[in-house]
Amino acid sequence: MPPSQPPFMLFLVRSIIVAGALVSLAVLATACTVAPAAPPAVSSGTGAGAAASARPLTTTAKPAPKPAPKPKPATPHVTIWRVRTADGVVVTVAAFRGPVRYVLHNGSSDPGYAAAIAGVKAGPAVGSAERRQLLAAFNGGFKLGVGAGGYEQEGHVISPLLRGYASLIIDRSGRARIALWGYGAPGPGEAVYSVRQNLQLLVEHGQPTPAAYDWYAWGATLGGGEYVARSAVGEDAAGDLLFAGSMSASPEDLAQALAERGARIGMELDINPEWVQLDVAAKPGGSLTAEVPGQYRPADQYLWGWSRDFFAVLAG
């Protein structure tokens, strides 16, 4: 039987055993509360770029941009208004829109033989080829003998063109514009084909000219009155032509009606009831309708032929 240990020694041994147990418990607790280390990133390269490439890529697909809608092709057409002016007169205004071209026709009596012998092709009647494209037709200007301006058709000068006169100019492509001859017209390189002059400007810079208020300056009228059949033509900012006509109007009425519908420049055409005429088709080649209320001539007059010059509006 081993000798008994002294009390002090027993106490010392027990203290050592207890301390060791406490240390072991502390280490175990620490091991349980420390977060595990993150696994190393797998990468074939080094640096931040390599670490980023190791992450799974997530992309959001952007919807394919919608193609811009194609503009609808412009369709040749005529827009018509009935404009009531300050003095109560109703003026018919027609705007020729879309791809159109203009043809100046020779009248059988005016310009008549002088134009025919020069070899002009567009004679007193709308031809069969034009008929299929015809959208509208309207009257020309005063008789050439009264000296209200010159006349050129298809490159043939029938009556000398006068500087400072209002001019409806048609180029070789059939496009038309209004200008003062000799003041910006003809333009540099402009391929002038036909020109119809008639008096001075009726509208300028979008307003009636001062002369528009003096009705005596705009031709001799039947009975010497101010309110008679009159017609005019203007051009708006888009380059479209506008016809204005009434069987009873003053020059001022025409100017106001053109300006109200957007004309930036304008000129008077023919006057008196025998000559004022506007005929319009709902579509190119369609049946024609007389559009100036009370006009004397039937809608098909220009198809059969006419004594005075006139303009055909064709699709194309």
Side-chain angles (χ1 to χ4, degrees):
M1 179 176 198
S4 59
Q5 298 294 333
F8 174 78
M9 291 300 294
L10 290 175
F11 173 79
L12 179 62
V13 171
R14 288 174 182 170
S15 298
I16 293 173
I17 292 172
V18 172
L22 292 174
V23 171
S24 298
L25 289 173
V27 171
L28 180 60
T30 303
C32 292
T33 56
V34 175
V42 178
S43 174
S44 58
T46 60
S53 66
R55 302 190 189 100
L57 298 177
T58 58
T59 58
T60 302
K62 294 182 179 179
K66 294 182 179 180
K70 294 182 180 179
K72 294 182 179 180
T75 302
H77 64 283
V78 183
T79 302
I80 296 177
W81 302 275
R82 311 294 180 191
V83 179
R84 186 175 295 276
T85 61
D87 57 3
V89 168
V90 176
V91 178
T92 297
V93 178
F96 310 110
R97 308 292 196 195
V100 298
R101 58 190 179 91
Y102 297 86
V103 177
L104 175 60
H105 276 258
N106 165 44
S108 60
S109 65
D110 200 69
Y113 181 74
I117 198 173
V120 300
K121 298 177 182 178
V126 173
S128 58
E130 285 183 323
R131 181 66 186 97
R132 293 189 294 270
Q133 299 173 302
L134 186 65
L135 185 64
F138 58 90
N139 60 267
F142 289 1
K143 289 184 176 182
L144 298 184
V146 303
Y151 184 101
E152 178 179 354
Q153 185 176 342
E154 301 167 17
H156 304 284
V157 177
I158 311 304
S159 181
L161 300 174
L162 304 178
R163 181 180 176 85
Y165 278 66
S167 306
L168 178 52
I169 305 166
I170 303 173
D171 67 16
R172 289 190 175 275
S173 71
R175 296 176 62 183
R177 72 183 184 105
I178 299 172
L180 276 181
W181 193 257
Y183 297 89
E190 185 174 8
V192 174
Y193 193 53
S194 298
V195 181
R196 187 49 159 113
Q197 294 185 320
N198 208 62
L199 301 175
Q200 55 193 309
L201 288 178
L202 189 66
V203 176
E204 190 173 21
H205 306 305
Q207 299 293 329
T209 60
Y213 300 93
D214 180 10
W215 66 270
Y216 292 99
W218 299 94
T221 61
L222 291 180
E226 177 180 0
Y227 292 90
V228 298
R230 298 181 188 271
S231 61
V233 63
E235 180 187 348
D236 64 17
D240 293 330
L241 292 190
L242 301 90
F243 174 92
S246 173
M247 299 309 290
S248 179
S250 69
E252 178 187 350
D253 292 325
L254 297 183
Q256 288 180 353
L258 284 173
E260 180 177 322
R261 299 318 309 177
R264 306 300 302 167
I265 190 170
M267 56 185 283
E268 188 181 65
L269 291 176
D270 216 345
I271 64 173
N272 292 323
E274 187 72 11
W275 317 118
V276 174
Q277 182 170 350
L278 169 66
D279 308 315
V280 174
K283 62 180 180 180
S287 299
L288 294 165
T289 301
E291 286 294 343
V292 179
Q295 71 178 47
Y296 279 26
R297 310 312 308 173
D300 61 355
Q301 182 67 72
Y302 295 137
L303 303 183
W304 291 100
W306 190 228
S307 60
R308 303 285 296 280
D309 62 280
F310 65 91
F311 294 92
V313 185
L314 307 179

